Amino acid sequence: MSTVAMITARGLFGRRRALMLLPLPLLLIGLAAICRAYDLDPSQWGTAVITGLGFAVVLPVIALIVGTGVLGSEVDDGTLVHILTKPLARRDIILAKFVVAVVATAVTTSIPLFVAGLLAGSAKLGVALALAAVAGSFAYTAFFLMLSLLTRRPVLLGLVYILIWEGLLGRWVSGTRVLSIEQYVISIAAKLEPTTLLDPKVGVMTAVVMSVLFVVVCTVIAINRLGSFSLAGETS
């Protein structure tokens, strides 16, 4: 399992994909720093930067890049066959790649969100945003890792989920929020550090339970899906 994790991490950070992880976090920090430098009141920019950019764009897009990248490219180019020839349980392969994806996503997103929270309010707000980002990293990466095994267009479907389900329906159709990871993250952050900059739409208990369900269900589906792959690279 550790060998798979090391190979996955080396492949993830050794490709151009790693460079794709930097612009959005830097943009988030840059916008927060500019607003702070001009001495703007956080009530004027905090919600737009933290929720509108941090939670709605930076966290899910980074998770999409990482979650679909740790295994999706191996499915497409056929190198998955080499992994399947190893004497490893399918569960161990998925869990190793999931752990790498979560760590990469959490580190890349929690740091800029902490900085944004620090500039917008206090260190306590920064910590709350960072912890919420870590929780969201688990749910998002599990979901996108699953998509990479279920379809050949995981990035496209992931963007549909981020832009349409969360970005459009999640804001205007209340019934869809229960399946919105973005709403879970906002609720968790608001519970950890109540602030007018965050406007949670679902209860914190719902957010926690649904986040855990996302992780468990998506991971189980991914393990079962990988188990259906034959050494020819096809599903049985």
Side-chain angles (χ1 to χ4, degrees):
M1 183 174 176
S2 60
T3 302
V4 175
M6 290 177 60
I7 294 173
T8 302
R10 190 182 305 119
L12 179 64
F13 293 105
R15 302 172 182 169
R16 295 179 181 177
R17 191 182 300 271
L19 297 177
M20 297 172 63
L21 304 181
L22 297 178
L24 286 176
L26 292 178
L27 175 62
L28 177 61
I29 294 174
L31 286 177
I34 290 172
C35 292
R36 181 63 181 266
Y38 279 92
D39 202 26
L40 296 177
D41 191 283
S43 63
Q44 296 179 291
W45 60 270
T47 300
V49 172
I50 293 172
T51 301
L53 178 60
F55 286 153
V57 178
V58 176
L59 176 57
V61 171
I62 293 296
L64 177 62
I65 294 171
V66 175
T68 59
V70 292
L71 190 56
S73 59
E74 295 169 352
V75 175
D76 292 336
D77 62 21
T79 56
L80 179 62
V81 174
H82 299 291
I83 297 177
L84 297 179
T85 59
K86 306 297 181 182
L88 292 171
R90 302 299 191 258
R91 177 194 60 204
D92 291 342
I93 295 173
I94 291 296
L95 291 180
K97 290 182 174 293
F98 176 59
V99 169
V100 171
V102 169
V103 171
T105 302
V107 171
T108 308
T109 59
S110 62
I111 294 175
L113 278 164
F114 170 79
V115 174
L118 181 63
L119 294 174
S122 64
K124 290 181 64 177
L125 177 59
V127 170
L129 298 180
L131 292 177
V134 172
S137 297
F138 276 88
Y140 273 123
T141 52
F143 180 57
F144 294 138
L145 177 60
M146 178 194 70
L147 285 184
S148 70
L149 286 167
L150 293 179
T151 175
R152 290 186 177 275
R153 297 291 183 270
V155 175
L156 176 60
L157 291 181
L159 288 174
V160 169
Y161 175 77
I162 295 169
L163 299 176
I164 305 300
W165 187 269
E166 292 192 328
L168 183 61
L169 297 179
R171 282 172 171 74
W172 303 106
V173 183
S174 60
T176 63
R177 294 168 186 162
V178 73
L179 292 177
S180 172
I181 299 173
E182 178 192 345
Q183 295 300 326
Y184 309 159
V185 173
I186 294 173
S187 294
I188 292 172
K191 178 64 176 181
L192 293 173
E193 180 60 21
T195 173
T196 57
L197 301 180
L198 299 173
D199 182 23
K201 301 294 186 182
V202 298
V204 66
M205 186 57 66
T206 299
V208 172
V209 171
M210 290 303 297
S211 294
V212 172
L213 282 177
F214 254 90
V215 173
V216 173
V217 172
C218 292
T219 302
V220 169
I221 292 175
I223 292 171
N224 290 335
R225 178 63 173 175
L226 185 62
S228 70
F229 275 77
S230 67
L231 293 184
E234 301 173 344
T235 55
S236 57

